[in-house]
Amino acid sequence: MSVSVHIAATTILSLHLLLFFVNANSSMDPYKVLNLILNPNGTVTRLQKIPQSPPSPDPNLPTPALSKDLTVNQSKHTWARIYLPHKLNSKKKLPLIIFYHGGGFIFYSAASTYVHDFCAEIANKTQSVVVSLDYRLAPEHRLPAAYDDSVEILHWIRISNDAWLTRHADYSRCYLMGESAGGNIAYTAGLRAAAIVDEIKPISIKGLILIQPFFGGTKRTPSEIRLEKDLNLPLIFTDALWELSLPVGVDRDYVYSNPTVNGGDKVLEKIRLLGWKVGVFGCDGDQLVDRQRELVKLLEGKSVHVVGQFYSGGRHGIFMGDPSMSEKVFDLVKSFY
């Protein structure tokens, strides 16, 4: 796959890479390639202009789903884009999917065309109400800011009087979904939500769908070594993203990056008892795949109901960038219902 691939073809960052980075090495400045300027105050200037799409609330437009934007927390500048299928049964409520976009915790928003198009397809193909959160980005807001936002949206939905939610979303069938960094966020949001199930009622989470979740660690995995200079997602890129997003002073074996440290979170036992279903997607062409397999192994060891779907070849971002692979995600989601 060309390194100049369009932004819609992957997530953690195909951001129009240039051909002279084919021979990526340790001397390459990842921030320059990522079109980032590091500012003295700890923020970054993002030079890449990522395509955006407006919401489409007009039922007369030939869109996969209706959509609209609502403010979640004005002081934090967080908001959500809600998606609703065109054809609705007034007597039957639909499953609720909360979606967290990818982008290495640094890039993208709920309005990014890449994210918007996928969420509209989720709503249409799985007949669900989708709430796509625009969370705060690092390094301006390092982790756990995105995790805090990922749980706040649950409380916001719980008390919202928005008609799309109150009339059409079945709060008793809620699933957390995310791709890449969003998969990491969905996993952590699930851990936090499982610890406070009584506080988020009537929302009842039934499962997690983690699409090529972004995890890391200090010890290199075989897939990271094998795909160190991958044109789509070289290792120095993921290292740079962790450097910008993790709390200052911690390494990649911090719990936010490595879910297997200390044998995994104790809350996993509660997830097992709650009967949640967890789906994890990955492919051999993604340098993160061994991390994703490690997560499945961890969950299996905790007797959590987990389904790992791994495919040969591919690349990071393929499950959103390739419609045929997106269908595999939609099929698993529908099987969870």
Side-chain angles (χ1 to χ4, degrees):
M1 182 179 189
S2 169
V3 285
S4 60
V5 70
H6 188 273
I7 193 154
T10 189
T11 299
I12 288 184
L13 294 163
S14 318
L15 297 171
H16 298 286
L17 307 184
L18 301 177
L19 286 172
F20 63 84
F21 293 110
V22 168
N23 295 315
N25 56 61
S26 59
S27 65
M28 180 174 75
D29 181 353
Y31 305 112
K32 184 176 181 179
V33 186
L34 293 172
N35 289 306
L36 290 175
I37 297 175
L38 303 183
N39 301 318
N41 64 356
T43 65
V44 295
T45 299
R46 297 167 178 83
L47 301 177
Q48 179 74 29
K49 300 303 180 184
I50 297 174
Q52 306 280 297
S53 291
S56 303
D58 187 349
N60 296 313
L61 294 177
T63 56
L66 305 173
S67 57
K68 66 178 179 180
D69 295 344
L70 293 174
T71 299
V72 174
N73 187 316
Q74 189 169 6
S75 65
K76 295 179 181 177
H77 305 287
T78 57
W79 55 276
R81 181 163 292 181
I82 304 177
Y83 297 83
L84 200 64
H86 278 277
K87 296 180 180 179
L88 296 167
N89 183 338
S90 60
K91 296 181 180 180
K92 184 179 180 181
K93 291 190 174 183
L94 303 175
L96 172 64
I97 293 177
I98 300 173
F99 185 81
Y100 306 103
H101 68 80
F105 305 105
I106 311 296
F107 297 94
Y108 295 109
S109 77
S112 299
T113 299
Y114 176 68
V115 177
H116 171 79
D117 290 350
F118 185 72
C119 287
E121 287 296 331
I122 297 172
N124 179 40
K125 295 292 181 65
T126 69
Q127 286 298 289
S128 308
V129 177
V130 177
V131 177
S132 177
L133 173 66
D134 194 72
Y135 54 84
R136 289 172 293 171
L137 298 177
E140 293 81 3
H141 304 281
R142 288 177 176 265
L143 298 173
Y147 300 149
D148 295 341
D149 298 342
S150 72
V151 176
E152 184 176 32
I153 189 71
L154 301 175
H155 294 285
W156 177 81
I157 291 171
R158 181 176 62 85
I159 62 174
S160 174
N161 59 4
D162 177 73
W164 283 19
L165 294 171
T166 58
R167 293 179 186 175
H168 302 295
D170 182 354
Y171 292 176
S172 70
R173 291 189 292 160
C174 177
Y175 296 82
L176 307 184
M177 176 190 290
E179 190 249 9
S180 194
N184 175 304
I185 294 170
Y187 179 74
T188 306
L191 295 175
R192 292 188 173 197
I196 57 168
V197 287
D198 291 335
E199 296 178 27
I200 60 174
K201 289 181 178 178
I203 293 177
S204 178
I205 296 170
K206 298 301 183 184
L208 312 175
I209 298 97
L210 313 178
I211 308 168
Q212 295 180 292
F214 181 30
F215 292 112
T218 55
K219 184 179 179 180
R220 301 303 191 190
T221 66
S223 64
E224 289 171 341
I225 295 171
R226 174 171 55 87
L227 295 166
E228 176 186 2
K229 297 180 181 181
D230 173 51
L231 304 186
N232 187 57
L233 188 65
L235 195 58
I236 61 167
F237 279 19
T238 53
D239 286 355
L241 295 172
W242 286 123
E243 181 68 26
L244 290 173
S245 59
L246 286 170
V248 175
V250 307
D251 62 24
R252 294 188 304 276
D253 277 334
Y254 195 63
V255 65
Y256 295 167
S257 171
N258 189 344
T260 67
V261 293
N262 301 318
D265 198 293
K266 292 180 175 61
V267 179
L268 290 174
E269 171 63 14
K270 190 163 187 181
I271 287 178
R272 181 188 71 82
L273 294 173
L274 290 168
W276 290 11
K277 298 176 181 178
V278 180
V280 181
F281 288 87
C283 67
D284 292 337
D286 179 8
Q287 56 116 323
L288 302 175
V289 68
D290 285 348
R291 302 287 179 189
Q292 296 149 8
R293 292 185 187 277
E294 287 175 355
L295 178 64
V296 171
K297 184 177 179 180
L298 171 69
L299 297 177
E300 289 175 340
K302 302 291 184 180
S303 298
V304 173
H305 182 160
V306 59
V307 177
Q309 292 199 2
F310 294 92
Y311 300 87
S312 61
R315 64 179 189 278
H316 191 76
I318 194 169
F319 293 95
M320 284 179 63
D322 182 332
S324 67
M325 299 301 283
S326 298
E327 288 293 337
K328 297 182 185 300
V329 176
F330 304 151
D331 287 345
L332 183 70
V333 171
K334 289 183 286 187
S335 75
F336 277 9
Y337 294 168

